[in-house]
Amino acid sequence: MTDGFDIAMPAAAASVREARQVARAWCSSCEVPDDLTDSVLLIVSEMCANAILHGRSDSIGVRVWLPSFGVLRIEVTDYTPSQPPAVQHPPADSENGRGLFLVDAMAAAADGDWGFSADGARAWCTLPLPRNASCSRPAAPEPDHSFSVRAPQASTRDPENPYTYL
């Protein structure tokens, strides 16, 4: 078992699958519950896809670790500072543009949070880690110079559909 992983990968479509495989293996080694593992894998996939699609570097970085007890943190960097993107709400027939919407939905469903570094080069997501997960020792702390993009609070969510804001 390890406190996390930090890998650099080519900015290529095949890296999304590889990042998911590494994240799945790490979650398994930490006995992360299946439902939370599914959320981690989807978030890793969407953040990697965004970094590959919108970044201007030939590589991306993927990091998953425990910054404090009971908190799992996912970070994906494309190494290219830019204006942080916003959650989009594309038309129903659109095939693209839902990545950050899915990240927002998965983080909200797990009582987590997400956002971007101040320079927009790194996307991050924090999720609560259940006490029964075997990863118990947090990694060394790092300064956090990021901000959250989840400004709406639970009270602004549509009661009929928790993934829709009023």
Side-chain angles (χ1 to χ4, degrees):
M1 169 184 27
T2 178
D3 298 338
F5 66 88
D6 190 356
I7 55 176
M9 309 178 83
S15 293
V16 176
R17 180 174 178 231
E18 292 171 16
R20 283 176 58 94
Q21 290 172 334
V22 173
R24 182 185 306 278
W26 182 81
C27 286
S28 177
S29 74
C30 289
E31 300 174 4
V32 173
D34 289 345
D35 58 335
L36 184 57
T37 295
D38 291 344
S39 296
V40 169
L41 298 179
L42 179 65
I43 291 167
V44 165
S45 293
E46 293 301 331
M47 287 184 172
C48 285
N50 277 353
I52 291 165
L53 182 63
H54 301 292
R56 296 178 306 276
S57 176
D58 59 355
S59 66
I60 62 169
V62 182
R63 183 177 186 200
V64 176
W65 87 105
L66 308 172
S68 61
F69 183 76
V71 176
L72 182 150
R73 185 170 172 107
I74 302 163
E75 289 185 355
V76 175
T77 183
D78 63 15
Y79 306 108
T80 51
S82 61
Q83 181 68 29
V87 174
Q88 296 181 27
H89 301 280
D93 61 348
S94 178
E95 294 183 13
N96 297 312
R98 292 180 181 80
L100 295 181
F101 177 80
L102 291 172
V103 170
D104 183 60
M106 297 307 291
D111 292 327
D113 199 11
W114 72 282
F116 291 92
S117 60
D119 68 358
R122 184 180 70 241
W124 60 266
C125 181
T126 57
L127 302 171
L129 188 65
R131 293 190 183 277
N132 62 346
S134 64
C135 293
S136 59
R137 188 176 51 144
E142 284 191 9
D144 184 4
H145 304 289
S146 55
F147 62 94
S148 174
V149 296
R150 289 194 56 230
Q153 300 299 314
S155 62
T156 63
R157 292 185 185 266
D158 181 350
E160 298 295 319
N161 182 353
Y163 303 123
T164 303
Y165 293 106
L166 299 175

